[in-house]
């Protein structure tokens, strides 16, 4: 017998097939359907859905979006993000999880967090922090992470993202990807076969990507921090 299918069955199958081919978890289908039903009750029609590019452009108009910069090093394009903008975005997202570190909070609890260490205690003793004021200043020790990954199926063209977070977040918070931000991407120096030249290229990429962080260490920036009571600290 010739089988017939309703439009609902066809649409549902095609959506399920699309998600499966994209490698989505099996429960993604139910989540998408629930989301569509939720917004349908609010008066949304799928025909008014924006394309990805249009939606991103609309969001850029409503929110400040850090601009990515590119620098040419040995004929390779190196992309980097503005450190202060990324740090501000991180503190905005993690404001309810930030630990306000002071000389008195170091070595005075039973946790194994980074701030409860001789390293943190000695940091506060450095000359540049002798006038640290916990009411107006905030200590944000940086943690950097790099992990080279392939960008094609054969893993021929590697790209090394560099990310950062702060040790003022607990270990549990640092395991959440929402509390990491990109600093830039180190490309593969395919045109360089000599080990010394390759190392020189890598260091030049690091200098570009870490430039904003280095400048902020010399001249601590002003950040907008929202306290637990809702007040803003700048």
């Amino acid at each position: 017998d010739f089988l017939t299918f309703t439009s609902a069955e066809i649409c549902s199958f095609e959506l399920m097939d699309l998600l499966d081919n994209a490698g989505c978890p099996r429960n993604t289908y139910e989540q998408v359907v629930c989301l569509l039903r939720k917004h349908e009750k609010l008066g949304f029609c799928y025909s008014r859905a924006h394309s990805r590019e249009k939606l991103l452009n609309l969001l850029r108009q409503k929110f400040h979006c850090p601009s990515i910069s590119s620098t040419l090093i040995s004929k390779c394009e190196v992309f980097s993000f503005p450190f202060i903008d990324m740090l501000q975005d991180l503190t905005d997202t993690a404001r309810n999880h930030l630990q306000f570190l002071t000389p008195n909070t170091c070595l005075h609890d039973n946790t194994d967090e980074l701030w409860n260490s001789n390293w943190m205690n000695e940091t506060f003793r450095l000359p540049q922090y002798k006038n640290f004021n916990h009411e107006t200043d905030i200590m944000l020790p940086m943690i950097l992470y790099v992990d080279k990954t392939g960008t094609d199926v054969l893993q021929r063209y590697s790209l090394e993202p560099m990310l950062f977070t702060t040790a003022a977040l607990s270990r549990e918070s640092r395991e959440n990807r929402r509390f990491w931000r990109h600093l830039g991407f180190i490309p593969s120096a395919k045109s360089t076969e000599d080990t010394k030249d390759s190392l020189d290229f890598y260091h030049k990429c690091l200098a570009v990507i870490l430039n904003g962080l280095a400048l902020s260490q010399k001249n601590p920036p002003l950040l907008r921090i929202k306290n637990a009571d809702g007040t803003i600290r700048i």
Side-chain angles (χ1 to χ4, degrees), residues 141-192:
M142 293 291 105
I143 299 175
L144 302 181
Y145 176 79
V146 291
D147 184 17
K148 184 180 291 187
T149 181
T151 58
D152 67 325
V153 176
L154 300 178
Q155 305 292 307
R156 293 171 299 182
Y157 305 104
S158 65
L159 193 65
E160 195 167 350
M162 173 169 285
L163 300 93
F164 77 94
T165 189
T166 174
L169 293 171
S170 67
R171 177 180 300 178
E172 181 181 3
S173 296
R174 296 196 306 271
E175 291 177 352
N176 188 330
R177 63 183 180 86
R178 294 179 60 245
F179 300 140
W180 287 83
R181 293 296 181 272
H182 282 87
L183 277 175
F185 300 91
I186 303 173
S188 175
K190 288 298 180 182
S191 59
T192 303

Side-chain angles (χ1 to χ4, degrees), residues 54-187:
K54 182 177 180 180
L55 177 60
L56 291 177
N57 286 332
L58 290 172
L59 292 177
R60 290 189 188 101
Q61 296 172 18
K62 297 177 183 294
F63 300 98
H64 172 67
C65 181
S67 58
I68 189 169
S69 301
S70 65
T71 305
L72 206 60
I73 299 178
S74 300
K75 299 181 180 180
C76 290
E77 199 169 14
V78 179
F79 295 99
S80 59
F81 293 90
F83 172 70
I84 296 178
D85 284 352
M86 301 304 284
L87 180 60
Q88 181 65 71
D89 186 65
L90 172 62
T91 55
D92 286 344
T93 304
R95 63 177 181 268
N96 294 328
H97 303 268
L98 281 176
Q99 303 292 324
F100 291 93
L101 308 182
T102 70
N104 294 327
T105 60
C106 301
L107 302 176
H108 287 287
D109 57 42
N110 296 320
T111 69
D112 61 349
E113 293 293 352
L114 293 175
W115 62 73
N116 186 39
S117 62
N118 286 323
W119 163 75
M120 194 69 251
N121 198 34
E122 292 171 1
T123 297
F124 278 109
R125 295 177 181 173
L126 295 175
Q128 57 265 44
Y129 302 119
K130 65 179 181 180
N131 295 322
F132 182 86
N133 184 343
H134 70 275
E135 294 183 355
T136 58
D137 301 327
I138 180 171
M139 178 67 73
L140 296 173
M142 293 291 105
I143 299 175
L144 302 181
Y145 176 79
V146 291
D147 184 17
K148 184 180 291 187
T149 181
T151 58
D152 67 325
V153 176
L154 300 178
Q155 305 292 307
R156 293 171 299 182
Y157 305 104
S158 65
L159 193 65
E160 195 167 350
M162 173 169 285
L163 300 93
F164 77 94
T165 189
T166 174
L169 293 171
S170 67
R171 177 180 300 178
E172 181 181 3
S173 296
R174 296 196 306 271
E175 291 177 352
N176 188 330
R177 63 183 180 86
R178 294 179 60 245
F179 300 140
W180 287 83
R181 293 296 181 272
H182 282 87
L183 277 175
F185 300 91
I186 303 173

